[in-house]
Each structure stands twice: as C-alpha cells, then as structure tokens.
Amino acid sequence: MEFLPSFAALLAFTAAGLLLALTPGPDMTLSISRALAQGRRPALFVVLGTSLGVVCHTLLVAFGISALITASPTAFFILKTGGAAYLLWLAIQAIRYGSNFKVEKVEQATSSPLANISIGFWVNILNPKVIIFFMTFLPQFVSADDPHVTGKLIFFGIYFIVIGMPVNLIVVLAADWLSGWLQANPKILRGIDYTFAGVFSVFAAKIFFTQAR
C-alpha cells in the first residue's frame, strides 16, 4: 500500500477536491444542460464521460511527471513552482471575473449513451485549463524523492473522481432546481469564488515558501 498518501495530504486533497467539484465549470454546465434537455439518464452518461477524461489526464500526468522526476529533480521543482504561480493566477481570476454559470433549457433529441459519454470525455480532454490544472495541482501532493510517486499520483487522480462523483450525481438529480437557484443567487457564486481563491492562494503560498528552502 505504498501508493497511499499521508493522512494530512489526503485531508488537504479532499478539501481542495470537494471545493473544485462544487465550483461551476464546463463539466457542471454540460451535465445540467443535458439533464434539463434530455433527462437524468443521458446526463449521467455525460458525467461518466467527464470522469473518463479525468482518468486519462491522471495517467498522462502520473507517468509524465514520474519520468520528469527521474530525469531531473530540478525540472520537477520548476514545474511545482510554476504550478504554484498558476494556482495563484487562478485565485486572482476567480475574484476578478467570478463564476460564469448560465444554462438555457433547450429541448433536444435524446442522444445515445455512447454519444453522451463521448461529449463528456472530450469536454475534459480538450479543455486546456483541465490539462494545466492536473499538471500543476496533483504534483503539490507528492515529493520528488518519493519512490512511489507514480502510484500516489494515480491514487490522487482516481480519488478526485471519487470525491466529485457524489457532487455530480446530486447536480444531475437536482438539475432543474440547482440551475435556477445558482442563477438566482449570484452572492452564493461569489462566495464560492472567494473560497476557491482563498484555498488556492494557500496552496500557492505553501509551495512558494516550502520550495524556497
């Protein structure tokens, strides 16, 4: 079980993962839109597709970063420091622009399960922010001298799906109510934005000061 992280790292990742899952984004907007237009079942297939996209990103990051650590711990340090800067930039963007959450109820013909899985998958695979996020966020929870870094990165990626799945299911089941409630309560969205910014600023500061030693 060497791939299991420490309790402190797992607790910190759980808090950050839950916050990310609760923050409205392209995946949440897509699943709500599909639930409103075609019903819950097609939306659940979309959620499955977005989760598969996360698995793909996790494997790419896990094996890519492992190779980077083996080749050059200095390059890994640069990646983590750059990741901290990116997290700080995300925090600033959240405060400046906030959540962009708009869903229009448009009736559509019901898509096949495979089509819904595919669209969910590609929404995450082709989103550059998702790619950069996984490259900068997951490495914050591993050490360059950890011999089990690949297993831990894969664990964190799969665990991220486990954390987000209950949130995604609730979003789909309560799509109609949730869509109206979020758009009618912009202060709630701003509260999420500031929480998001605060958590990511803490992670950024932690990396900046820890790596400076």
Side-chain angles (χ1 to χ4, degrees), residues 33-104:
S33 298
R34 193 52 54 97
L36 294 176
Q38 300 184 15
R40 294 173 179 173
R41 188 170 181 271
L44 292 175
F45 281 114
V46 168
V47 170
L48 176 59
T50 58
S51 298
L52 291 176
V54 171
V55 171
C56 185
H57 281 301
T58 297
L59 294 176
L60 291 173
V61 169
F63 289 103
I65 289 177
S66 297
L68 181 63
I69 291 174
T70 302
S72 173
T74 301
F76 182 63
F77 161 75
I78 294 173
L79 172 66
K80 292 188 73 172
T81 303
Y86 177 68
L87 294 179
L88 184 60
W89 180 81
L90 285 179
I92 295 172
Q93 293 296 101
I95 293 176
R96 288 184 63 190
Y97 300 109
S99 299
N100 183 18
F101 183 83
K102 294 183 179 180
V103 175
E104 297 182 2

Side-chain angles (χ1 to χ4, degrees), residues 21-36:
L22 290 168
T23 302
D27 52 348
M28 182 182 289
T29 302
L30 176 62
S31 59
I32 289 179
S33 298
R34 193 52 54 97
L36 294 176

Side-chain angles (χ1 to χ4, degrees), residues 2-171:
E2 292 87 354
F3 63 86
L4 292 177
S6 67
F7 179 75
L10 187 63
L11 191 63
F13 187 87
T14 300
L18 281 173
L19 176 61
L20 285 173
L22 290 168
T23 302
D27 52 348
M28 182 182 289
T29 302
L30 176 62
S31 59
I32 289 179
S33 298
R34 193 52 54 97
L36 294 176
Q38 300 184 15
R40 294 173 179 173
R41 188 170 181 271
L44 292 175
F45 281 114
V46 168
V47 170
L48 176 59
T50 58
S51 298
L52 291 176
V54 171
V55 171
C56 185
H57 281 301
T58 297
L59 294 176
L60 291 173
V61 169
F63 289 103
I65 289 177
S66 297
L68 181 63
I69 291 174
T70 302
S72 173
T74 301
F76 182 63
F77 161 75
I78 294 173
L79 172 66
K80 292 188 73 172
T81 303
Y86 177 68
L87 294 179
L88 184 60
W89 180 81
L90 285 179
I92 295 172
Q93 293 296 101
I95 293 176
R96 288 184 63 190
Y97 300 109
S99 299
N100 183 18
F101 183 83
K102 294 183 179 180
V103 175
E104 297 182 2
K105 188 173 183 179
V106 179
E107 297 297 332
Q108 303 173 0
T110 302
S111 303
S112 68
L114 184 59
N116 284 312
I117 292 173
S118 178
I119 190 174
F121 177 80
W122 287 110
V123 159
N124 269 351
I125 285 294
L126 298 178
N127 189 340
K129 289 186 177 181
V130 175
I131 299 171
I132 297 173
F133 176 79
F134 267 81
M135 287 185 62
T136 58
F137 185 68
L138 290 185
Q140 315 303 327
F141 296 90
V142 297
S143 174
D145 56 3
D146 191 333
H148 308 290
V149 62
T150 302
K152 287 185 177 180
L153 286 170
I154 293 174
F155 173 86
F156 277 126
I158 301 303
Y159 184 57
F160 180 79
I161 297 174
V162 173
I163 293 172
M165 191 58 69
V167 176
N168 291 327
L169 292 177
I170 292 173
V171 166

